[in-house]
Amino acid sequence: MQLALDQARRGLGKTSPNPAVGAVIVKKGKLLSKGYHKKAGGPHAEIAALRNLAKKNAARGTTLFVTLEPCSTHGRTPPCCEAIIAAGCTRVVIGATDPNPKHAGRGVDILKKAGIEVTSGICADACQRLNAGWNHWIIARRPWVIAKYAMSLDGRLTRPPGESQWLTGEKAFRDVHLLRSRVDAILVGAETVRTDNPQLNVRGIRGAHQPWRIVLTRSGNLPKEAHLFTDEHKERTLVFRNQSLSAVLRELGKREITTVLIEGGGAVLGEALDKKLIHHVVAYSAPILCGGPLMALGGRGAKNSQESARILNPTYTRLGNDLRMEGDVAF
């Protein structure tokens, strides 16, 4: 299953609105084939692994490991359960169950009725975490929201006026672009566009897709010459005027956008926090003291520490001189 997870990670950020899934085929302890879902509309991981077998009919008597329960209904592609049965696999080992209540367990039942041995729940936590955004969207039809920001050691969002907006170093810079490559959209407020003129693209990640760029504005007063409206990805920019963040997220969910990365500024991040719209946080801290009034997160704030949002199972990673902290948010 760890090999299947490695395969699935190759599809992160490229399969939306489908999940990232990996599969491997084994017989008598020998790895015969592996595959992953590369893009929506393309072969699912199970089909890719079956097609990658060296010989025709080589799947007979094998065990198929797959990170997500095989699909049982017709969508952009035929059901994987039918292909697995036809191929002659005798055992299927599943990581995570399909989160959609309409489909959950249905693939398992179909395989069992066909006489295939099924084992479920192997590395289930890792398999579920892999598609946290998609799991949320498939149920709520709203995107999984990640709040990302870089701050000074004293919690400020930018350097003093007139200097580069980048607080952190090269390793953190690359990490941000890897994060961008795995989401469907990046969202900022109008002031960020006016002040920083960000590109909000993915750089230095081979084969990465370009996420949608979302701008929230009240006045509609945005610089026409900004990168978001003039570069090669200008068709991937959406502007929402005078709408609440909640309403925008609902609309993005309808557009099959499953994950949104909020990159600023402090007012938008503060609104997301106040309205309890954040599911996950990725925060970078630089060893610098800036001072000044511009805090990383604005908004009304919690009334007291007991009502503050908590970060569950935070992880800490050193990136050069910078520190990256991330975790799920509990309100």
Side-chain angles (χ1 to χ4, degrees), residues 68-108:
L68 182 66
E69 179 181 1
C71 63
S72 55
T73 58
H74 282 269
R76 290 180 172 91
T77 59
C80 288
C81 285
E82 293 181 3
I84 293 169
I85 295 168
C89 298
T90 55
R91 185 183 181 212
V92 175
V93 180
I94 298 169
T97 302
D98 191 326
N100 190 333
K102 296 179 181 179
H103 302 154
R106 182 175 175 180
V108 171

Side-chain angles (χ1 to χ4, degrees), residues 40-208:
H44 287 187
E46 303 94 317
I47 306 304
L50 289 169
R51 291 179 180 177
N52 287 337
L53 286 166
K55 298 180 181 179
K56 189 177 181 180
N57 299 324
R60 298 199 175 279
T62 61
T63 297
L64 170 72
F65 289 80
V66 62
T67 56
L68 182 66
E69 179 181 1
C71 63
S72 55
T73 58
H74 282 269
R76 290 180 172 91
T77 59
C80 288
C81 285
E82 293 181 3
I84 293 169
I85 295 168
C89 298
T90 55
R91 185 183 181 212
V92 175
V93 180
I94 298 169
T97 302
D98 191 326
N100 190 333
K102 296 179 181 179
H103 302 154
R106 182 175 175 180
V108 171
D109 290 341
I110 290 173
L111 294 173
K112 286 182 175 180
K113 288 178 181 179
I116 295 174
E117 180 185 349
V118 179
T119 303
S120 300
I122 305 303
C123 300
D125 288 345
C127 292
Q128 290 168 354
R129 288 297 311 166
L130 185 76
N131 291 299
W134 181 79
N135 292 341
H136 174 78
W137 175 78
I138 205 71
I139 301 298
R141 291 293 161 175
R142 290 170 60 125
W144 172 266
V145 176
I146 304 169
K148 169 262 166 183
Y149 52 92
M151 61 183 180
S152 61
L153 196 59
D154 53 340
R156 268 55 182 182
L157 196 59
T158 62
R159 291 181 183 271
E163 294 188 10
S164 167
Q165 69 267 32
W166 287 100
L167 289 168
T168 49
E170 285 296 323
K171 289 186 177 180
F173 178 86
R174 178 172 173 79
D175 194 73
V176 168
H177 283 272
L178 180 62
L179 177 61
R180 286 179 177 180
S181 75
R182 293 179 172 178
V183 300
D184 293 345
I186 305 168
L187 186 149
V188 297
E191 189 60 30
T192 295
V193 177
R194 288 191 287 263
T195 303
D196 297 338
N197 190 20
Q199 298 181 63
L200 303 185
N201 58 11
V202 180
R203 303 190 290 278
I205 308 296
R206 182 179 297 178

Side-chain angles (χ1 to χ4, degrees), residues 20-39:
V21 183
V24 299
I25 297 174
V26 176
K27 188 172 185 179
K28 296 181 180 179
K30 182 180 179 181
L31 176 65
L32 300 184
S33 178
K34 52 190 177 181
Y36 68 99
H37 184 42
K38 295 182 178 180
K39 63 178 182 178

Side-chain angles (χ1 to χ4, degrees), residues 227-245:
H227 292 306
L228 301 186
F229 309 123
T230 58
D231 68 9
E232 61 181 320
H233 304 300
K234 60 185 178 182
E235 300 301 325
R236 300 281 289 176
T237 299
L238 298 174
V239 176
F240 290 88
R241 182 176 179 182
N242 203 27
Q243 294 189 46
S244 69
L245 180 57

